[in-house]
Amino acid sequence: MTAAPPPSTGRELLSPPTDGISNLRFSNHSDHLLVSSWDKSVRLYDASANALRGEFMHGGAVLDCCFHDDTSGFSASADHTVRRLVFNYNREDVLGRHDGPVRCVEYSYATGQVITGSWDKTLKCWDPRSSSGQDRSLVGTYTQPERVYSMSVVGNRVVVATAGRHVNVYDLRNMSQPEQRRESSLKYQTRCVRCYPNGTGYALSSVEGRVAMEFFDLSEAGQSKKYAFKCHRKSEAGRDIVYPVNAIAFHPIYGTFATGGCDGYVNMWDGNNKKRLYQYTKYPTSIAALSFSRDGRLLAVASSYTYEEGDKPHEPDAIYVRSVNEVEVKPKPKMLPNPTS
């Protein structure tokens, strides 16, 4: 007898943001979930207990957030500030500023630095251990070819995706210039970049319903492994309807990955075998962000309209936490041909 399927969309978290969800991230240490929103808030949830543990209000829309450890995190705001959030004391302070809205924030466990990317066309590195004040905590500023749209860190590398389809790969130990300057292999605007957990490359998605699988190894053999595929599209009356792919999240154990699109679907992929493993039941509106818990047992899904069709009536913003079944994320073994008798 087969096991009963998990609830179709997962459990909805109480007290969700009241405007668009810009990102959500699980902690590396617990089932705590950090959520940033256009309603100017960063919220901390205990996803297992379905409880709101803290809320921080900013001066503008919050475009990204990340954990430092289980007691603190960082946020990136449209009010040009980068903030440090201390959960236990419900306290925050300004780590630093950009000259424009701050779109991305990442914490590097390898170097102990906070990395931010802004629409002011710069990347900045900060040392959160320094005494407060921008001049003391700023490690360096690095000019980018265009506005920063998405960013991802793995090990000592940071991958920065900007407007104009530029991709810069940096070694955080030597930020004087990019280790690699690339152009997206997709023809349209980049929505999301996420590094592979094993550190060999990154996946990049676009507004045009495609994902590119890229590798850092520049040798001919290394580059021969890269490919792109179509997803989050449907045929209707003989024509292709294409949806932006807003979110990519890698499973921490199996290295398979989820994509979320403006079609309201979450798909699970096996990148090595170039196969779709699973498609979840449709969510109420666009998928704005995705995150797996540290052990891969939970998947947080932000169902939040991303205004790809302009201002129109839409479902309220919601966060779903779904229990992940191994069959949805574990790569299927390749079938070997039967030996001839």
Side-chain angles (χ1 to χ4, degrees):
M1 193 170 136
T2 55
S8 53
T9 52
R11 182 176 56 168
E12 195 169 341
L13 287 189
L14 303 172
S15 309
T18 56
D19 200 354
I21 298 165
S22 55
N23 205 6
L24 46 72
R25 308 224 199 180
F26 270 109
S27 165
N28 279 352
H29 307 280
S30 70
D31 288 344
H32 286 171
L33 185 71
L34 204 58
V35 179
S36 54
S37 168
W38 285 79
D39 70 2
K40 304 182 183 179
S41 78
V42 177
R43 285 170 164 85
L44 176 70
Y45 297 90
D46 182 332
S48 294
N50 197 354
L52 181 65
R53 295 284 187 229
E55 186 175 10
F56 301 84
M57 296 304 297
H58 291 19
V62 189
L63 305 182
D64 200 4
C65 60
C66 70
F67 279 94
H68 176 210
D69 51 33
D70 226 34
T71 61
S72 62
F74 303 100
S75 62
S77 176
D79 69 5
H80 303 192
T81 64
V82 182
R83 291 170 191 258
R84 180 196 348 239
L85 316 170
V86 184
F87 308 139
N88 299 355
Y89 301 101
N90 211 34
R91 196 183 75 229
E92 60 176 89
D93 60 63
V94 175
L95 185 66
R97 296 177 193 277
H98 277 265
D99 293 333
V102 191
R103 177 64 187 86
C104 305
V105 59
E106 294 279 349
Y107 178 71
S108 164
Y109 290 91
T111 65
Q113 291 180 355
V114 178
I115 304 115
T116 53
S118 168
W119 290 343
D120 68 5
K121 304 183 184 178
T122 68
L123 193 71
K124 291 190 177 189
C125 291
W126 314 87
D127 184 351
R129 296 159 296 196
S130 299
S131 54
S132 59
Q134 170 161 351
D135 297 338
R136 288 185 287 276
S137 58
L138 182 64
V139 176
T141 302
Y142 312 97
T143 302
Q144 300 304 299
E146 251 293 356
R147 287 153 293 156
V148 176
Y149 279 169
S150 188
M151 198 166 71
S152 185
V153 167
V154 64
N156 286 305
R157 277 198 173 102
V158 58
V159 179
V160 186
T162 75
R165 298 170 45 248
H166 300 283
V167 179
N168 279 343
V169 181
Y170 286 91
D171 184 332
L172 287 165
R173 296 163 299 185
N174 177 15
M175 293 288 293
S176 56
Q177 60 181 21
E179 187 182 34
Q180 297 178 17
R181 286 187 176 89
R182 295 190 176 197
E183 185 178 81
S184 166
S185 52
L186 305 178
K187 291 180 190 165
Y188 295 89
Q189 184 192 87
T190 301
R191 267 289 157 93
C192 182
V193 65
R194 290 291 177 266
C195 293
Y196 306 156
N198 66 8
T200 59
Y202 58 90
L204 182 135
S205 72
S206 78
V207 297
E208 189 253 345
R210 287 177 194 265
V211 171
M213 308 300 288
E214 301 282 350
F215 293 86
F216 295 130
D217 179 359
L218 292 176
S219 72
E220 199 174 325
Q223 290 303 296
S224 69
K225 292 190 286 188
K226 71 178 193 175
Y227 68 95
F229 64 96
K230 296 177 183 178
C231 52
H232 299 282
R233 45 180 69 208
K234 67 178 181 184
S235 273
E236 210 168 75
R239 68 188 191 97
D240 241 5
I241 300 175
V242 175
Y243 298 91
V245 184
N246 299 321
I248 301 169
F250 280 89
H251 192 273
I253 311 299
Y254 294 119
T256 51
F257 62 98
T259 58
C262 287
D263 56 355
Y265 282 104
V266 175
N267 292 323
M268 204 68 69
W269 306 91
D270 176 354
N272 291 334
N273 293 318
K274 304 184 182 179
K275 278 188 169 61
R276 186 169 75 180
L277 295 172
Y278 207 84
Q279 183 176 71
Y280 294 140
T281 308
K282 194 173 194 284
Y283 284 85
T285 184
S286 314
I287 307 302
L290 295 167
S291 180
F292 282 104
S293 60
R294 69 199 187 287
D295 54 11
R297 289 184 305 103
L298 301 175
L299 176 65
V301 180
S303 172
S304 179
Y305 179 55
T306 53
Y307 287 83
E308 64 279 357
E309 294 174 11
D311 203 354
K312 67 170 193 179
H314 55 86
E315 294 292 325
D317 301 286
I319 301 161
Y320 295 88
V321 176
R322 187 195 162 89
S323 291
V324 176
N325 197 321
E326 194 175 59
V327 71
E328 301 160 5
V329 292
K330 190 174 182 179
K332 292 177 174 60
K334 283 188 171 173
M335 298 300 288
L336 295 171
N338 288 329
T340 51
S341 48

